[in-house]
Amino acid sequence: MEPIDQVIYIGFNQNASCITLSTEKALDTGYDSSFRVIDTHPLKFCYQRIFPGSFSIVELLNRSNIIALVGGGTCLRYPSSKLIIWDDQKLRIISELNFRLEIKAVRLRRNRVVVVLEDKVYVFNLQDLKIIDVISTFHNPHGICCMSSDDMREVLACPSDKKGNALIKVYTEDKEIEIDAHETPLACAALNKDGTLLATASDKGTLVRIFDTETGDLLQELRRGIDRAEIYSLAFHPTSHWIACSSNTGTVHIYSIDPEIQNKKLALKFFKKMLPKYFESEWSYAKFKVKGAKTVCAFAGDELKLMILTDHAMFYEVDFTEGGQCVGEIAENLLDLELV
């Protein structure tokens, strides 16, 4: 029987122009470990790098040669507490950072490296890895942290040290604001491109809330569902007119946050005073079903198309122009892509 690649990590870069995919494969002689970089438009295999150990995090800086790596998986050669900065042009490790605890997430932007531990967020200058900031957070096992990708405005959001609260730091304005986002701990968060909007979901997983990062005001409340769910990812459209949410229910929801385009609401105005609050909620404009997989989503440029990755290395692209239940235009196993 042919050895099968096991997916250790899959994700998008900051503008979703590339996918990074880390795998390991059990052989008679040991393990074959590697990571791959794949273009999203058009969908094509770019390159693969083989290492003597597996990586649980592979974070690509835009479309550059700089990649942040953290060890993980069964073939564990590199500790999960070490950050490796790999230069793919020089084909070598150019720097390392060691921590006492496991690294939960890494975020990159052109001038920063952010390392997320279970109760701390460390912000470093990318060029020389000098420490810029250290943030104490509430228990953060999922490594919740996000950064704006806009060159002019540097914004970071993560859990504060209080349950359910989000901390926003605007480094370009030396400004900090704390938002009382949810009653229960944060499970997911995302910033739009320029960091003016923050989306959050709690571990309850029923609501997505949109906040103004300048004032901390709640702008919109979107309902994913009534039953509890684990939120896997949140993603803003580059225009900030749409947001997508994926969860363990298998449904990926797409919501309008443009006042000109209305989300769905239940037509029960006559009974409004007698029914629970969720009947007044904004429900998704469009949705797509992905069964039996952990998912992460991102929008395909300025088009009304959503890309979805699964932990089985499947790639889906969905046109949601018409709203309602969507059908995937593209469904591709990324492990089958070959260098062209």
Side-chain angles (χ1 to χ4, degrees):
M1 188 176 175
E2 192 73 22
I4 299 172
D5 281 305
Q6 299 295 321
V7 177
I8 309 301
Y9 174 87
I10 189 167
F12 293 102
N13 65 341
Q14 293 78 33
N15 63 4
S17 62
C18 292
I19 297 163
T20 50
L21 173 62
S22 171
T23 62
E24 63 182 17
K25 182 164 54 181
L27 305 173
D28 292 339
T29 55
Y31 279 89
D32 179 15
S33 303
S34 68
F35 71 79
R36 309 168 203 205
V37 174
I38 298 163
D39 272 343
T40 56
H41 279 89
L43 188 65
K44 66 176 183 178
F45 179 84
C46 292
Y47 61 85
Q48 181 176 17
R49 300 291 177 248
I50 297 171
F51 280 79
S54 305
F55 296 108
S56 62
I57 296 173
V58 182
E59 186 82 7
L60 173 66
L61 176 60
N62 299 319
R63 296 182 64 87
S64 75
N65 52 305
I66 300 301
I67 304 172
L69 304 169
V70 177
T74 305
C75 184
L76 187 60
R77 174 168 179 143
Y78 310 101
S80 60
S81 57
K82 176 185 282 190
L83 173 70
I84 297 167
I85 304 296
W86 171 262
D87 187 326
D88 203 71
Q89 190 172 42
K90 297 176 181 177
L91 292 176
R92 65 179 179 87
I93 295 170
I94 56 171
S95 53
E96 297 179 352
L97 284 170
N98 290 290
F99 297 86
R100 290 186 301 157
L101 300 172
E102 178 186 352
I103 296 171
K104 298 295 185 179
V106 178
R107 300 288 179 256
L108 297 175
R109 53 176 281 136
R110 63 176 182 83
N111 60 336
R112 297 284 184 257
V113 182
V114 178
V115 177
V116 186
L117 307 185
E118 198 160 303
D119 60 358
K120 288 278 194 300
V121 173
Y122 293 88
V123 183
F124 299 91
N125 188 37
L126 177 59
Q127 190 171 11
D128 54 15
L129 292 185
K130 286 185 177 177
I131 195 158
I132 302 298
D133 199 3
V134 181
I135 304 166
S136 294
T137 69
F138 193 76
H139 181 60
N140 187 16
H142 301 300
I144 300 161
C145 183
C146 47
M147 295 197 80
S148 60
S149 57
D150 187 81
D151 286 344
M152 302 302 293
R153 194 165 186 266
E154 185 181 348
V155 184
L156 178 148
C158 64
S160 78
D161 57 0
K162 296 177 184 175
K163 182 174 70 173
N165 285 20
L167 180 69
I168 297 165
K169 303 201 83 168
V170 186
Y171 289 103
T172 42
E173 300 170 14
D174 194 24
K175 181 179 178 181
E176 180 178 310
I177 186 170
E178 186 169 345
I179 295 173
D180 184 0
H182 300 271
E183 292 180 1
T184 59
L186 297 184
C188 202
L191 286 164
N192 66 340
K193 185 178 178 180
D194 63 4
T196 55
L197 298 176
L198 172 70
T200 64
S202 75
D203 64 1
K204 199 173 175 183
T206 54
L207 295 170
V208 175
R209 289 179 172 143
I210 313 290
F211 296 94
D212 183 324
T213 61
E214 283 289 322
T215 63
D217 292 341
L218 175 63
L219 302 178
Q220 207 165 354
E221 189 172 86
L222 308 166
R223 183 160 291 278
R224 182 215 53 81
I226 298 168
D227 297 326
R228 198 179 191 97
E230 181 183 353
I231 304 298
Y232 289 147
S233 72
L234 293 168
F236 279 97
H237 192 274
T239 62
S240 299
H241 292 163
W242 304 92
I243 189 167
C245 168
S246 71
S247 72
N248 67 342
T249 64
T251 302
V252 180
H253 295 273
I254 304 162
Y255 304 88
S256 167
I257 48 177
D258 181 350
E260 300 296 317
I261 302 170
Q262 295 298 309
N263 292 307
K264 290 181 172 55
K265 288 193 175 184
L266 298 182
L268 296 167
K269 291 182 181 178
F270 182 76
F271 300 101
K272 187 175 179 181
K273 292 182 180 179
M274 295 181 282
L275 293 171
K277 187 181 177 183
Y278 60 74
F279 283 102
E280 302 173 39
S281 301
E282 291 189 54
W283 299 73
S284 57
Y285 174 86
K287 54 189 176 182
F288 178 71
K289 196 74 176 175
V290 182
K291 292 183 179 179
K294 191 169 184 178
T295 51
V296 58
C297 52
F299 289 93
D302 291 339
E303 298 178 274
L304 297 187
K305 292 185 178 182
L306 184 72
M307 300 178 290
I308 301 152
L309 300 175
T310 79
D311 58 355
H312 305 314
M314 285 298 297
F315 172 91
Y316 298 96
E317 188 169 281
V318 179
D319 188 321
F320 61 91
T321 307
E322 300 300 321
Q325 186 69 48
C326 300
V327 177
E329 289 187 330
I330 300 174
E332 188 88 43
N333 189 325
L334 298 178
L335 298 175
D336 294 338
L337 293 180
E338 296 182 359
L339 187 61
V340 293

